[in-house]
Amino acid sequence: MSASETSTPMNVNENEEQGLLDAINDRYGGVIVEVTQPMDSALFASVLSASMAKWRQQGKRGVWIKLPIQHVNLVEAAVKEGFWYHHAEPNYLMLVHWLPQGAQTLPANASHRVGIGAFVMNKNREVLVVQESIGRLRGTGVWKFPTGVVNEGEDLCAAAVREVKEETAIDTKFVQVLAFRQSHKVFFEKSDIFFLCLLEPLSFEIQKQESEIEAAKWMPIEEYAAQPFVQKYELLKCSVDICFAKKNGNYSGFSPVLTSSAFSNEKSYMYFNIHELNKQ
């Protein structure tokens, strides 16, 4: 159930006459309210209570209230009516309530953050590496692959190219996802999915990002792999082994292919092993 997937608007004039909140029906038997006008909290509490009674009578399920940040004065009234926080964005707070008896089946808030690491190697078998000026590795002298977080609405392959460009000014072409790992309780108790990506360099002159990167350079891959920090952790050693195997022609990753689906008019990338599929 998505708070953004809507269908049939309720009758606005009828709601106003009956002292009810304007709402639209979602696709799952619930309603969505978006508060757009200023309202006294006491009046809101009264109108919300009347609306809840009407929705129960109609057999509605989930009730979503989208409160823009300028209407924060209405939060307490909604919570007292039994609503809880679902998620927040910079300009609004989403609250939700489950009307039927029994266990609620509303979808949870987003559970994962998605990150990328970029394996970029030139023809001299040198990898693109950076030292961070912020974060856990600041001041440790550790060289690492460029990494970053995928933005909302951004394709994984585009994020990898962008992060490399931002941190090092190197232009690249996305080639494959080599591997990924999932971990939990990482960022504000959320899970994390991290994709190790292979990119092909299109330029070679480095200009480090001043705000986050202490240093950046091309380093022989053997030197990168020999770092005590890399040798200490299985995840990093495994990543190096995968990168070596790929460059030696003994490993196939997952390539992005534009596909369509029944859920959206927009095409999206599916990542799979084209090499093995073509052999079929």
Side-chain angles (χ1 to χ4, degrees), residues 55-75:
W55 294 328
R56 285 191 178 94
Q57 183 183 31
Q58 294 173 338
K60 298 301 181 183
R61 293 160 62 81
V63 179
W64 303 80
I65 297 182
K66 183 178 181 181
L67 280 180
I69 195 168
Q70 62 267 32
H71 304 311
V72 67
N73 64 303
L74 306 182
V75 170

Side-chain angles (χ1 to χ4, degrees), residues 155-220:
D155 288 313
L156 182 72
C157 48
V161 170
R162 172 184 56 77
E163 285 291 350
V164 172
K165 180 70 172 180
E166 288 178 355
E167 293 190 1
T168 67
I170 297 295
D171 294 310
T172 58
K173 174 185 175 182
F174 186 91
V175 181
Q176 289 180 338
V177 170
L178 297 179
F180 68 93
R181 70 102 177 92
Q182 183 183 27
S183 57
H184 304 289
K185 303 294 183 180
V186 175
F187 184 75
F188 289 103
E189 300 301 304
K190 299 297 183 181
S191 298
D192 182 85
I193 299 181
F194 181 85
F195 291 87
L196 176 62
C197 303
L198 172 65
L199 287 79
E200 176 186 336
L202 302 177
S203 64
F204 303 92
E205 185 176 347
I206 295 172
Q207 290 182 317
K208 71 180 181 70
Q209 183 183 36
E210 293 298 332
S211 60
E212 297 183 8
I213 302 302
E214 182 67 29
K217 68 177 181 179
W218 294 101
M219 171 185 284

Side-chain angles (χ1 to χ4, degrees), residues 2-278:
S2 170
S4 62
E5 294 179 321
T6 61
S7 54
T8 309
M10 289 181 157
N11 188 304
V12 177
N13 292 330
E14 180 181 340
N15 285 341
E16 290 177 351
E17 292 173 1
Q18 296 180 1
L20 303 174
L21 290 170
D22 182 30
I24 52 178
N25 296 318
D26 65 26
R27 297 175 182 176
Y28 304 92
V31 295
I32 302 170
V33 175
E34 182 170 0
V35 178
T36 59
Q37 300 296 326
M39 189 181 300
D40 176 77
S41 59
L43 174 60
F44 177 73
S46 175
V47 174
L48 177 59
S49 180
S51 299
M52 296 284 282
K54 182 69 173 180
W55 294 328
R56 285 191 178 94
Q57 183 183 31
Q58 294 173 338
K60 298 301 181 183
R61 293 160 62 81
V63 179
W64 303 80
I65 297 182
K66 183 178 181 181
L67 280 180
I69 195 168
Q70 62 267 32
H71 304 311
V72 67
N73 64 303
L74 306 182
V75 170
E76 183 177 4
V79 171
K80 286 183 177 179
E81 189 64 38
F83 282 78
W84 65 88
Y85 298 160
H86 186 268
H87 66 272
E89 295 293 340
N91 60 348
Y92 75 86
L93 174 68
M94 185 71 78
L95 299 105
V96 67
H97 192 295
W98 181 249
L99 293 179
Q101 296 294 321
Q104 62 95 356
T105 60
L106 296 170
N109 184 24
S111 59
H112 285 70
R113 183 181 66 166
V114 179
I116 62 93
F119 171 51
V120 187
M121 179 185 284
N122 62 24
K123 293 181 179 179
N124 298 323
R125 288 180 63 85
E126 295 172 326
V127 291
L128 183 63
V129 293
V130 299
Q131 288 183 341
E132 294 179 337
S133 60
I134 59 175
R136 284 175 32 183
L137 297 180
R138 175 185 178 183
T140 63
V142 171
W143 293 96
K144 58 183 283 292
F145 294 159
T147 58
V149 177
V150 180
N151 293 329
E152 182 178 353
E154 183 179 38
D155 288 313
L156 182 72
C157 48
V161 170
R162 172 184 56 77
E163 285 291 350
V164 172
K165 180 70 172 180
E166 288 178 355
E167 293 190 1
T168 67
I170 297 295
D171 294 310
T172 58
K173 174 185 175 182
F174 186 91
V175 181
Q176 289 180 338
V177 170
L178 297 179
F180 68 93
R181 70 102 177 92
Q182 183 183 27
S183 57
H184 304 289
K185 303 294 183 180
V186 175
F187 184 75
F188 289 103
E189 300 301 304
K190 299 297 183 181
S191 298
D192 182 85
I193 299 181
F194 181 85
F195 291 87
L196 176 62
C197 303
L198 172 65
L199 287 79
E200 176 186 336
L202 302 177
S203 64
F204 303 92
E205 185 176 347
I206 295 172
Q207 290 182 317
K208 71 180 181 70
Q209 183 183 36
E210 293 298 332
S211 60
E212 297 183 8
I213 302 302
E214 182 67 29
K217 68 177 181 179
W218 294 101
M219 171 185 284
I221 190 170
E222 293 80 7
E223 183 180 342
Y224 166 81
Q227 292 182 99
F229 184 81
V230 174
Q231 290 297 312
K232 181 179 179 181
Y233 295 103
E234 285 184 331
L235 176 66
L236 295 177
K237 287 195 294 183
C238 185
S239 297
V240 168
D241 290 342
I242 291 170
C243 293
F244 270 124
K246 176 61 183 178
K247 282 304 181 180
N248 291 334
N250 300 320
Y251 183 89
S252 295
F254 299 90
S255 302
V257 178
L258 275 175
T259 58
S260 58
S261 76
F263 303 104
S264 172
N265 293 326
E266 298 292 331
K267 287 201 169 185
S268 59
Y269 286 103
M270 184 176 184
Y271 297 81
F272 56 88
N273 190 319
I274 294 177
H275 176 71
E276 294 297 324
L277 184 65
N278 288 340

